Amino acid sequence: MKKVITFGTFDIPHVGHVKILNRARELGDYLIVGVSSDALNQSKKGRKPVYNQQERMFLMQSFKGVDEVFLEESLEEKRDYILKYQADVLVMGDDWQGKFDEFKDICEVVYLPRTPSISTTSVIEVVRSDEWENK
Ligand code: CTP
């Protein structure tokens, strides 16, 4: 069985998240998602997620095609997670292009193109803006 692993915050799930998860799943038979902890998100993105880590893990577990979910507590532990979950393929969005090539000694590393014009940040900005108020 070919196992695929990917990582992310997945806060306020959107079309870009669903597309990358679907494409990741197609690269193997079993998809494992590492959901960033609230603390990791705070240090990585400088803000608290809208949905907490339990809620984001629950949402990911509910996605068709996601077989297993765990909490990613540290960016420095990627190698340990890949080994622990015996992943054959690491999938990342191409915003990380080249950044995980160091793991090519233990798995295949694939960068998939991001879906244009959508992100959790942009959803938050639209909802906050006058543009949304006047819709
Ligand atoms: N992703 C994607 N297309 C998008 C947005 C995200 O393919 N338009 C992918 C990312 O490349 C990553 C995964 O979805 O592999 C999780 O990304 P995450 O950082 O949680 O989502 P963003 O919407 O980019 O969040 P933010 O705006 O908070 O940075």
Side-chain angles (χ1 to χ4, degrees):
M1 183 167 61
K2 197 171 178 184
K3 290 186 172 183
V4 181
I5 194 166
T6 194
F7 297 85
T9 309
F10 301 101
D11 190 23
I12 317 180
H14 57 67
V15 168
H17 292 150
V18 179
K19 286 193 174 169
I20 200 163
L21 291 173
N22 286 347
R23 285 179 292 160
R25 181 62 170 76
E26 280 167 14
L27 295 175
D29 314 296
Y30 191 87
L31 178 60
I32 305 152
V33 180
V35 172
S36 319
S37 69
D38 292 340
L40 178 54
N41 203 71
Q42 181 73 50
S43 67
K44 193 171 67 167
K45 299 197 180 186
R47 67 161 191 260
K48 262 205 316 205
V50 172
Y51 295 123
N52 70 35
Q53 59 194 42
Q54 282 80 19
E55 292 167 327
R56 290 181 289 110
M57 288 178 76
F58 175 72
L59 287 163
M60 284 304 106
Q61 273 152 0
S62 308
F63 268 65
K64 197 172 78 182
V66 173
D67 298 289
E68 191 168 349
V69 172
F70 69 94
L71 195 64
E72 181 192 21
E73 308 222 49
S74 161
L75 292 179
E76 276 72 57
E77 285 171 36
K78 283 229 165 39
R79 179 174 291 274
D80 297 335
Y81 292 129
I82 294 166
L83 292 171
K84 179 178 173 190
Y85 289 95
Q86 299 182 315
D88 303 290
V89 188
L90 168 65
V91 169
M92 298 298 297
D94 63 0
D95 41 332
W96 296 98
Q97 189 69 46
K99 300 262 167 59
F100 295 99
D101 289 356
E102 65 189 277
F103 303 129
K104 284 185 175 167
D105 60 332
I106 51 169
C107 65
E108 197 184 325
V109 180
V110 177
Y111 303 96
L112 294 176
R114 280 171 68 95
T115 303
S117 316
I118 180 89
S119 68
T120 298
T121 307
S122 72
V123 171
I124 293 170
E125 280 167 5
V126 167
V127 173
R128 270 187 178 156
S129 71
D130 297 346
E131 188 190 331
W132 172 258
E133 294 287 319
N134 297 328
K135 248 187 184 170

